[in-house]
Coordinates of all heavy atoms in Angstrom, one line a residue:
V1 N 5.3 -6.3 5.0 CA 5.4 -5.4 3.8 C 4.7 -4.1 4.2 O 3.5 -4.1 4.7 CB 4.9 -6.0 2.6 CG1 4.9 -5.0 1.4 CG2 5.7 -7.2 2.2
F2 N 5.3 -3.0 3.8 CA 4.6 -1.6 3.9 C 4.5 -1.0 2.6 O 5.4 -1.0 1.8 CB 5.4 -0.8 4.9 CG 5.6 -1.5 6.3 CD1 6.8 -2.2 6.5 CD2 4.8 -1.2 7.3 CE1 7.0 -2.9 7.7 CE2 5.0 -1.7 8.5 CZ 6.2 -2.6 8.8
W3 N 3.2 -0.4 2.4 CA 3.1 0.3 1.2 C 2.9 1.8 1.5 O 2.1 2.2 2.5 CB 1.9 -0.1 0.4 CG 2.1 -1.4 -0.3 CD1 1.8 -2.7 0.1 CD2 2.6 -1.5 -1.6 NE1 2.2 -3.6 -0.8 CE2 2.6 -3.0 -1.9 CE3 3.1 -0.6 -2.5 CZ2 3.2 -3.5 -3.1 CZ3 3.6 -1.1 -3.8 CH2 3.6 -2.6 -4.0
Y4 N 3.7 2.7 0.8 CA 3.7 4.1 1.1 C 3.2 4.9 -0.1 O 3.4 4.4 -1.3 CB 5.0 4.6 1.4 CG 5.5 4.1 2.7 CD1 6.3 2.9 2.8 CD2 5.3 4.8 3.9 CE1 6.8 2.4 4.0 CE2 5.7 4.2 5.2 CZ 6.5 3.1 5.2 OH 7.0 2.6 6.4
Q5 N 2.6 6.0 0.0 CA 2.1 7.0 -1.0 C 3.0 8.3 -0.8 O 3.0 8.8 0.4 CB 0.6 7.2 -0.9 CG 0.1 8.2 -1.9 CD -1.3 8.7 -1.5 OE1 -1.5 9.3 -0.5 NE2 -2.3 8.3 -2.4
Q6 N 3.5 8.8 -1.9 CA 4.1 10.2 -1.8 C 3.5 11.1 -2.8 O 3.9 11.0 -4.0 CB 5.7 10.0 -1.9 CG 6.4 11.4 -1.8 CD 7.9 11.2 -1.7 OE1 8.4 10.4 -2.3 NE2 8.5 12.2 -1.1
P7 N 2.5 11.8 -2.4 CA 1.9 12.8 -3.4 C 3.0 13.8 -3.8 O 4.0 14.0 -3.1 CB 0.8 13.5 -2.5 CG 0.6 12.5 -1.4 CD 1.8 11.9 -1.1
P8 N 2.8 14.5 -4.9 CA 3.8 15.5 -5.4 C 4.1 16.5 -4.3 O 3.1 17.0 -3.7 CB 3.0 16.1 -6.6 CG 2.1 15.1 -7.1 CD 1.6 14.4 -5.8
R9 N 5.3 16.9 -4.1 CA 5.7 17.9 -3.2 C 5.3 17.6 -1.7 O 5.1 18.5 -1.0 CB 5.2 19.3 -3.6 CG 5.8 19.7 -5.0 CD 5.2 20.9 -5.6 NE 3.8 20.8 -5.8 CZ 3.3 20.1 -6.8 NH1 4.0 19.5 -7.7 NH2 1.9 20.1 -7.0
N10 N 5.1 16.4 -1.4 CA 4.7 16.1 0.0 C 5.5 14.9 0.5 O 6.3 14.2 -0.2 CB 3.2 15.6 0.1 CG 2.3 16.9 0.1 OD1 2.5 17.7 1.0 ND2 1.4 16.9 -0.8
G11 N 5.5 14.6 1.8 CA 6.2 13.4 2.4 C 5.5 12.2 2.2 O 4.4 12.1 1.7
L12 N 6.1 11.1 2.7 CA 5.5 9.8 2.6 C 4.4 9.6 3.6 O 4.4 10.1 4.7 CB 6.6 8.8 2.9 CG 7.7 8.5 2.0 CD1 8.7 7.5 2.6 CD2 7.2 8.0 0.7
K13 N 3.4 8.9 3.1 CA 2.2 8.5 3.9 C 2.1 7.0 3.9 O 2.1 6.4 2.8 CB 0.9 9.1 3.4 CG 0.8 10.6 3.4 CD -0.6 11.0 2.8 CE -0.7 12.5 2.7 NZ -2.0 12.8 2.0
L14 N 2.0 6.4 5.1 CA 1.8 4.9 5.1 C 0.4 4.6 4.7 O -0.5 5.2 5.2 CB 2.1 4.3 6.5 CG 1.9 2.9 6.7 CD1 2.8 2.1 5.8 CD2 2.1 2.5 8.2
V15 N 0.2 3.7 3.8 CA -1.1 3.3 3.2 C -1.6 2.2 4.0 O -2.6 2.1 4.6 CB -1.1 3.1 1.7 CG1 -2.5 2.5 1.2 CG2 -0.7 4.3 0.9
V16 N -0.8 1.1 3.9 CA -1.1 -0.2 4.5 C 0.1 -1.0 5.0 O 1.2 -0.9 4.3 CB -2.0 -1.0 3.6 CG1 -1.3 -1.3 2.2 CG2 -2.5 -2.3 4.2
S17 N -0.1 -1.8 6.0 CA 1.0 -2.8 6.3 C 0.4 -4.2 6.3 O -0.8 -4.3 6.6 CB 1.7 -2.5 7.6 OG 0.6 -2.5 8.7
C18 N 1.1 -5.2 5.9 CA 0.6 -6.5 5.7 C 1.7 -7.5 6.2 O 2.9 -7.2 6.0 CB 0.0 -6.8 4.4 SG 1.2 -6.6 3.0
S19 N 1.3 -8.7 6.6 CA 2.2 -9.8 7.0 C 1.5 -11.0 6.6 O 0.3 -11.1 6.3 CB 2.6 -9.6 8.5 OG 1.5 -9.9 9.2
T20 N 2.3 -12.2 6.6 CA 1.8 -13.4 6.3 C 0.9 -14.0 7.4 O 0.1 -14.9 7.1 CB 2.9 -14.4 6.0 OG1 3.7 -14.4 7.1 CG2 3.7 -14.1 4.7
W21 N 1.0 -13.4 8.6 CA 0.2 -14.0 9.7 C -0.9 -13.1 10.2 O -1.6 -13.4 11.2 CB 1.2 -14.3 10.8 CG 1.9 -13.0 11.4 CD1 1.4 -12.2 12.3 CD2 3.1 -12.5 11.0 NE1 2.3 -11.2 12.6 CE2 3.3 -11.4 11.8 CE3 4.1 -12.9 10.1 CZ2 4.5 -10.6 11.7 CZ3 5.2 -12.1 9.9 CH2 5.4 -11.0 10.7
S22 N -1.2 -11.9 9.5 CA -2.3 -11.1 10.1 C -3.0 -10.5 8.9 O -2.4 -10.4 7.8 CB -1.8 -10.1 11.1 OG -1.0 -9.2 10.5
H23 N -4.1 -9.9 9.2 CA -4.8 -9.2 8.2 C -4.1 -7.8 7.8 O -3.4 -7.3 8.6 CB -6.3 -8.8 8.6 CG -7.1 -10.0 8.8 ND1 -7.5 -10.8 7.8 CD2 -7.6 -10.5 10.0 CE1 -8.3 -11.8 8.3 NE2 -8.3 -11.7 9.7
N24 N -4.4 -7.3 6.6 CA -3.8 -6.0 6.2 C -4.3 -5.0 7.1 O -5.5 -4.9 7.5 CB -4.3 -5.7 4.8 CG -3.7 -6.6 3.8 OD1 -2.8 -7.4 4.1 ND2 -4.2 -6.7 2.6
S25 N -3.5 -4.0 7.6 CA -3.8 -3.0 8.5 C -3.7 -1.6 7.7 O -2.6 -1.2 7.4 CB -2.8 -3.0 9.7 OG -3.1 -1.9 10.6
Y26 N -4.8 -1.1 7.5 CA -4.9 0.2 6.7 C -4.9 1.4 7.6 O -5.6 1.4 8.7 CB -6.2 0.3 5.9 CG -6.1 -0.7 4.7 CD1 -6.4 -2.0 4.8 CD2 -5.7 -0.2 3.4 CE1 -6.4 -2.9 3.8 CE2 -5.5 -1.1 2.4 CZ -5.9 -2.4 2.5 OH -5.8 -3.2 1.4
E27 N -4.2 2.4 7.2 CA -4.1 3.8 8.0 C -5.4 4.6 7.7 O -6.0 4.3 6.7 CB -2.9 4.6 7.6 CG -1.6 3.8 7.9 CD -1.3 3.6 9.3 OE1 -1.3 4.6 10.1 OE2 -1.2 2.4 9.8
D28 N -5.6 5.5 8.6 CA -6.8 6.4 8.4 C -6.7 7.1 7.0 O -5.7 7.6 6.6 CB -6.8 7.5 9.5 CG -7.2 6.9 10.8 OD1 -7.7 5.8 10.9 OD2 -6.9 7.6 11.9
G29 N -7.9 7.1 6.3 CA -8.0 7.7 5.1 C -7.8 6.8 3.9 O -7.9 7.1 2.8
F30 N -7.4 5.5 4.2 CA -7.1 4.5 3.2 C -7.9 3.3 3.5 O -8.1 2.9 4.7 CB -5.6 4.1 3.1 CG -4.6 5.3 2.8 CD1 -4.0 5.9 3.8 CD2 -4.5 5.7 1.6 CE1 -3.2 7.0 3.5 CE2 -3.7 6.7 1.2 CZ -3.0 7.4 2.2
S31 N -8.4 2.6 2.4 CA -9.2 1.4 2.7 C -8.9 0.3 1.6 O -8.3 0.6 0.6 CB -10.7 1.7 2.6 OG -11.0 2.0 1.3
E32 N -9.3 -0.9 1.9 CA -9.1 -2.0 1.0 C -9.9 -1.8 -0.2 O -9.6 -2.4 -1.3 CB -9.5 -3.4 1.7 CG -9.2 -4.6 0.8 CD -9.4 -5.9 1.6 OE1 -10.1 -5.9 2.7 OE2 -8.9 -6.9 1.1
A33 N -11.1 -1.1 -0.2 CA -11.9 -0.9 -1.2 C -11.1 -0.1 -2.4 O -11.5 -0.2 -3.6 CB -13.2 -0.2 -0.8
K34 N -10.2 0.8 -2.0 CA -9.5 1.6 -2.9 C -8.1 1.0 -3.2 O -7.6 1.0 -4.3 CB -9.3 3.0 -2.3 CG -8.5 3.9 -3.2 CD -9.3 4.4 -4.4 CE -8.6 5.5 -5.2 NZ -9.4 5.9 -6.3
F35 N -7.4 0.5 -2.2 CA -6.0 0.0 -2.2 C -6.1 -1.4 -1.8 O -5.9 -1.8 -0.7 CB -5.1 0.7 -1.3 CG -5.1 2.2 -1.6 CD1 -5.8 3.2 -1.0 CD2 -4.1 2.7 -2.5 CE1 -5.8 4.5 -1.4 CE2 -4.1 4.1 -2.9 CZ -4.9 4.9 -2.3
E36 N -6.1 -2.4 -2.8 CA -6.3 -3.8 -2.6 C -4.8 -4.4 -2.7 O -4.1 -4.1 -3.6 CB -7.0 -4.4 -3.7 CG -7.2 -5.9 -3.5 CD -7.9 -6.5 -4.7 OE1 -7.5 -6.5 -5.8 OE2 -9.1 -7.1 -4.4
V37 N -4.4 -5.1 -1.5 CA -3.1 -5.7 -1.5 C -3.3 -7.2 -1.5 O -4.1 -7.8 -0.7 CB -2.4 -5.2 -0.2 CG1 -1.1 -6.0 -0.1 CG2 -2.2 -3.8 -0.3
K38 N -2.5 -7.8 -2.4 CA -2.5 -9.3 -2.3 C -1.1 -9.7 -2.2 O -0.2 -9.3 -2.9 CB -3.0 -9.8 -3.7 CG -4.6 -9.6 -3.9 CD -5.1 -10.3 -5.2 CE -6.5 -10.1 -5.3 NZ -7.1 -10.6 -6.5
R39 N -0.9 -10.7 -1.3 CA 0.4 -11.2 -1.1 C 0.3 -12.7 -1.3 O -0.2 -13.4 -0.4 CB 0.8 -10.9 0.4 CG 2.3 -11.4 0.7 CD 2.9 -10.7 1.8 NE 4.3 -11.0 2.0 CZ 5.0 -10.9 3.1 NH1 4.5 -10.3 4.1 NH2 6.3 -11.2 3.0
E40 N 0.7 -13.2 -2.4 CA 0.5 -14.6 -2.8 C 1.6 -15.5 -2.3 O 1.4 -16.8 -2.3 CB 0.4 -14.6 -4.3 CG -0.6 -13.7 -4.8 CD -1.5 -14.2 -6.0 OE1 -1.1 -15.3 -6.5 OE2 -2.5 -13.5 -6.3
S41 N 2.7 -14.9 -1.8 CA 3.9 -15.6 -1.3 C 4.6 -14.8 -0.5 O 4.4 -13.6 -0.3 CB 4.7 -16.3 -2.4 OG 5.5 -15.3 -3.0
T42 N 5.6 -15.3 0.2 CA 6.4 -14.5 1.1 C 7.4 -13.6 0.4 O 7.9 -12.6 1.0 CB 7.3 -15.4 2.0 OG1 8.1 -16.3 1.3 CG2 6.4 -16.3 3.0
D43 N 7.5 -13.8 -0.9 CA 8.4 -12.9 -1.6 C 7.8 -12.1 -2.9 O 8.5 -11.7 -3.7 CB 9.7 -13.7 -2.1 CG 9.4 -14.8 -3.0 OD1 8.2 -15.0 -3.3 OD2 10.2 -15.6 -3.3
Y44 N 6.5 -12.1 -2.8 CA 5.7 -11.4 -3.9 C 4.5 -10.7 -3.3 O 3.7 -11.5 -2.8 CB 5.4 -12.5 -5.0 CG 4.8 -11.9 -6.2 CD1 5.6 -11.3 -7.2 CD2 3.5 -11.9 -6.4 CE1 5.0 -10.9 -8.3 CE2 2.8 -11.5 -7.5 CZ 3.6 -11.0 -8.5 OH 3.1 -10.4 -9.6
T45 N 4.3 -9.4 -3.6 CA 3.1 -8.7 -3.1 C 2.7 -7.7 -4.3 O 3.7 -7.2 -4.8 CB 3.2 -8.1 -1.8 OG1 1.9 -7.6 -1.4 CG2 4.2 -7.1 -1.7
V46 N 1.5 -7.4 -4.4 CA 1.0 -6.5 -5.4 C 0.0 -5.6 -4.7 O -0.9 -6.0 -4.0 CB 0.3 -7.1 -6.6 CG1 -0.3 -6.1 -7.6 CG2 1.4 -8.0 -7.3
M47 N 0.1 -4.3 -4.9 CA -1.0 -3.3 -4.6 C -1.7 -2.8 -5.8 O -1.1 -2.3 -6.6 CB -0.5 -2.2 -3.7 CG -1.6 -1.3 -3.2 SD -1.1 0.0 -2.1 CE -0.3 1.2 -3.1
T48 N -3.0 -3.0 -5.8 CA -3.9 -2.4 -7.0 C -4.6 -1.2 -6.5 O -5.3 -1.3 -5.4 CB -4.7 -3.5 -7.5 OG1 -4.0 -4.6 -7.9 CG2 -5.6 -3.0 -8.7
I49 N -4.5 -0.1 -7.2 CA -5.3 1.1 -6.8 C -6.5 1.1 -7.8 O -6.4 1.1 -9.0 CB -4.5 2.3 -7.0 CG1 -3.2 2.2 -6.2 CG2 -5.3 3.6 -6.6 CD1 -2.2 3.3 -6.6
K50 N -7.7 1.0 -7.2 CA -9.0 0.9 -7.9 C -9.6 2.2 -8.2 O -9.5 3.2 -7.4 CB -9.9 0.0 -7.2 CG -9.4 -1.4 -7.0 CD -10.4 -2.2 -6.2 CE -10.0 -3.5 -5.9 NZ -11.0 -4.4 -5.2
N51 N -10.2 2.4 -9.3 CA -11.0 3.6 -9.7 C -10.2 4.9 -9.5 O -10.5 5.8 -8.7 CB -12.3 3.8 -8.8 CG -13.2 2.5 -9.0 OD1 -13.5 2.2 -10.1 ND2 -13.6 2.0 -7.9
L52 N -9.1 5.0 -10.3 CA -8.1 6.0 -10.2 C -8.8 7.4 -10.5 O -9.6 7.5 -11.4 CB -7.0 5.8 -11.3 CG -6.0 4.8 -10.9 CD1 -5.0 4.6 -12.0 CD2 -5.2 5.2 -9.6
T53 N -8.3 8.4 -9.6 CA -8.7 9.7 -9.9 C -7.4 10.6 -9.8 O -6.4 10.1 -9.5 CB -9.8 10.2 -8.9 OG1 -9.1 10.4 -7.6 CG2 -10.9 9.4 -8.8
L54 N -7.6 12.0 -10.1 CA -6.4 12.8 -10.1 C -5.9 12.8 -8.6 O -4.7 13.1 -8.4 CB -6.8 14.2 -10.5 CG -7.1 14.4 -12.0 CD1 -7.4 15.7 -12.4 CD2 -5.7 13.9 -12.7
K55 N -6.7 12.6 -7.6 CA -6.2 12.6 -6.2 C -5.2 11.5 -5.9 O -4.5 11.6 -4.9 CB -7.4 12.5 -5.2 CG -8.2 13.7 -5.1 CD -9.4 13.5 -4.1 CE -10.2 14.7 -3.9 NZ -11.1 14.6 -2.8
D56 N -5.3 10.5 -6.8 CA -4.3 9.4 -6.6 C -3.0 9.6 -7.1 O -2.1 8.7 -7.0 CB -5.0 8.1 -7.2 CG -6.2 7.7 -6.6 OD1 -6.4 7.8 -5.3 OD2 -7.2 7.4 -7.3
E57 N -2.7 10.8 -7.8 CA -1.4 11.0 -8.4 C -0.4 11.0 -7.3 O -0.5 11.8 -6.4 CB -1.4 12.3 -9.1 CG -0.2 12.6 -9.7 CD -0.1 14.0 -10.4 OE1 -1.1 14.7 -10.4 OE2 0.9 14.4 -10.9
A58 N 0.6 10.1 -7.4 CA 1.6 10.0 -6.4 C 2.7 9.0 -6.8 O 2.4 8.3 -7.8 CB 1.1 9.6 -5.0
T59 N 3.7 9.0 -6.1 CA 4.7 7.8 -6.3 C 4.4 6.9 -5.2 O 4.3 7.3 -4.0 CB 6.2 8.4 -6.2 OG1 6.3 9.4 -7.2 CG2 7.2 7.2 -6.4
Y60 N 4.3 5.6 -5.4 CA 4.1 4.6 -4.5 C 5.3 3.7 -4.2 O 6.1 3.4 -5.2 CB 2.9 3.7 -4.9 CG 1.6 4.5 -4.9 CD1 1.2 5.3 -6.1 CD2 0.7 4.5 -3.9 CE1 0.0 6.1 -6.1 CE2 -0.4 5.4 -3.8 CZ -0.8 6.1 -5.0 OH -1.9 6.9 -5.0
F61 N 5.6 3.4 -3.0 CA 6.7 2.6 -2.7 C 6.3 1.4 -1.8 O 5.3 1.5 -1.0 CB 7.7 3.4 -1.7 CG 8.2 4.7 -2.5 CD1 7.7 5.9 -2.3 CD2 9.5 4.6 -3.2 CE1 8.2 7.0 -2.9 CE2 9.9 5.7 -3.8 CZ 9.3 6.9 -3.7
C62 N 7.1 0.3 -1.8 CA 6.9 -0.8 -0.9 C 8.2 -1.0 -0.2 O 9.3 -0.7 -0.8 CB 6.5 -2.0 -1.6 SG 7.6 -2.8 -2.6
A63 N 8.1 -1.4 1.1 CA 9.3 -1.7 1.9 C 9.0 -3.0 2.6 O 7.9 -3.3 2.9 CB 9.5 -0.6 2.9
A64 N 10.0 -3.8 2.7 CA 9.9 -5.2 3.3 C 11.1 -5.4 4.2 O 12.1 -4.8 4.0 CB 9.9 -6.2 2.2
S65 N 10.8 -6.3 5.2 CA 11.8 -6.6 6.1 C 12.0 -8.2 6.2 O 11.0 -8.9 6.0 CB 11.4 -6.2 7.5 OG 12.3 -6.6 8.4
D66 N 13.2 -8.6 6.1 CA 13.5 -10.1 6.1 C 13.9 -10.5 7.5 O 15.1 -10.7 7.7 CB 14.6 -10.3 5.0 CG 14.8 -11.8 4.8 OD1 13.9 -12.6 5.1 OD2 15.9 -12.1 4.3
H67 N 12.9 -10.8 8.3 CA 13.3 -11.4 9.7 C 12.2 -12.1 10.2 O 11.1 -12.2 9.7 CB 13.6 -10.2 10.6 CG 12.5 -9.3 11.0 ND1 11.6 -9.5 11.9 CD2 12.1 -8.1 10.4 CE1 10.7 -8.6 12.0 NE2 11.0 -7.7 11.1

């Protein structure tokens, strides 16, 4: 599963990628302290953004692959 952030008038930025067999992998500038991802099953995942500020204003997307 991949989580992306798209700030207003900007392109997509990858926040984190996660899988059932490895730890979450955060991109530079993003951390688990701010963007917590929980994957409780193979078909259900949630990203929680903690301590929201105006800098967090964006559209967030998730993408998944079934293979």
Side-chain angles (χ1 to χ4, degrees):
V1 174
F2 302 91
W3 284 96
Y4 294 91
Q5 177 193 65
Q6 185 175 25
R9 298 170 299 284
N10 281 302
L12 290 174
K13 296 178 185 179
L14 179 60
V15 175
V16 60
S17 59
C18 55
S19 66
T20 55
W21 62 87
S22 66
H23 294 291
N24 297 343
S25 179
Y26 287 85
E27 297 298 304
D28 288 343
F30 300 100
S31 71
E32 186 174 12
K34 179 74 174 178
F35 298 92
E36 180 184 64
V37 175
K38 290 186 178 178
R39 188 163 185 193
E40 309 217 352
S41 73
T42 56
D43 56 8
Y44 185 81
T45 184
V46 173
M47 182 173 74
T48 302
I49 306 167
K50 299 177 179 180
N51 302 312
L52 286 172
T53 69
L54 289 176
K55 287 183 176 183
D56 300 316
E57 180 184 359
T59 302
Y60 293 86
F61 299 93
C62 69
S65 175
D66 185 22
H67 65 83

